Amino acid sequence: MDLRARVVPSTFEEDLVKADYTPAGYVQENARQKALEVYRRLCAAEAPPSLVIGADTVVVADDKILEKPRSTEAATVMLSELSGRSHQVLTGVALVYGAAYGAPPIEESFAEITEVDFASLPPELIDAYVASGEPMDKAGSYGIQGMGGSFVTGIRGCYQNVVGFPLHRFCTRLDVDRLRRSGRAGSMESPPVS
């Protein structure tokens, strides 16, 4: 199948109340809302897309959801909380399949969970890493695919999930037959990714 993705950033505010959800439910609902916002916007401007994919990743430590830090101080606190401990990385993925004009889209979502073990991080290492700027756009204030990967002593689960998108699980959940039946498979227009 020839899938060509185009990135369409979502304008969903991501203002869900964390206390109303489990961590897995939280990332799934954020991913769903991102995908639905893009789907609706594209439907208003053009034909319904064949597929919109939304994703949201967080880090969870002691049942506390850690998103992207809002300041260098917040990044320092998050990394200190993760130091020398295990935590979970959760990614919610929503698949919103286009439907016939006027029909509601078909939605599916899942959450992938990966356990990550961190080394003990001395304060001066945390400060230097935060000063690099790398943590500032990463859930939990680190990126395993960058310098933050040097803090990781082990993972149990999907590495790509920790990077931010559980590719294998996505591929197993992608409904290729639905895309073919929609008549937009093969040389189909790219599915937007929010």
Side-chain angles (χ1 to χ4, degrees):
M1 174 172 265
D2 182 18
L3 294 176
R4 283 166 272 155
R6 111 178 112 128
V7 177
V8 178
S10 175
T11 60
F12 175 65
E13 290 292 323
E14 296 188 54
D15 56 0
L16 300 175
V17 177
K18 292 181 184 95
D20 292 347
Y21 299 89
T22 64
Y26 179 76
V27 292
Q28 283 181 272
E29 187 61 20
N30 262 328
R32 179 178 171 271
Q33 292 300 328
K34 288 178 183 181
L36 285 171
E37 185 281 321
V38 170
Y39 180 84
R40 290 178 187 124
R41 189 164 22 113
L42 292 176
C43 285
E46 55 193 69
S50 55
L51 174 63
V52 176
I53 303 159
D56 188 55
T57 300
V58 299
V59 168
V60 176
D62 297 326
D63 295 322
K64 181 179 172 186
I65 295 173
L66 306 176
E67 298 185 87
K68 295 175 185 174
R70 295 179 188 253
S71 66
T72 56
E73 293 78 16
T76 299
V77 168
M78 284 185 204
L79 290 164
S80 298
E81 289 175 359
L82 299 176
S83 177
R85 307 180 55 217
S86 295
H87 61 273
Q88 295 179 319
V89 175
L90 286 81
T91 300
V93 177
L95 307 170
V96 177
Y97 295 94
Y101 289 98
I106 297 147
E107 303 174 34
E108 181 183 347
S109 67
F110 64 89
E112 183 74 16
I113 302 172
T114 304
E115 297 281 336
V116 180
D117 301 325
F118 249 37
S120 292
L121 308 176
E124 56 275 5
L125 178 59
I126 291 173
D127 292 342
Y129 182 60
V130 171
S132 77
E134 185 177 281
M136 300 315 296
D137 66 344
K138 310 282 189 300
S141 299
Y142 77 96
I144 195 170
Q145 70 277 24
M147 293 181 286
S150 66
F151 307 154
V152 176
T153 60
I155 68 168
R156 287 170 299 289
C158 177
Y159 170 83
Q160 291 172 325
N161 184 50
V162 183
V163 173
F165 192 77
L167 186 59
H168 174 74
R169 180 120 180 245
F170 164 76
C171 290
T172 64
R173 299 293 291 267
L174 182 64
D175 191 342
V176 176
D177 290 335
R178 181 182 310 280
L179 293 173
R180 283 192 185 117
R181 285 191 308 272
S182 75
R184 291 179 267 185
S187 61
M188 67 189 259
E189 174 61 28
S190 56
V193 180
S194 61

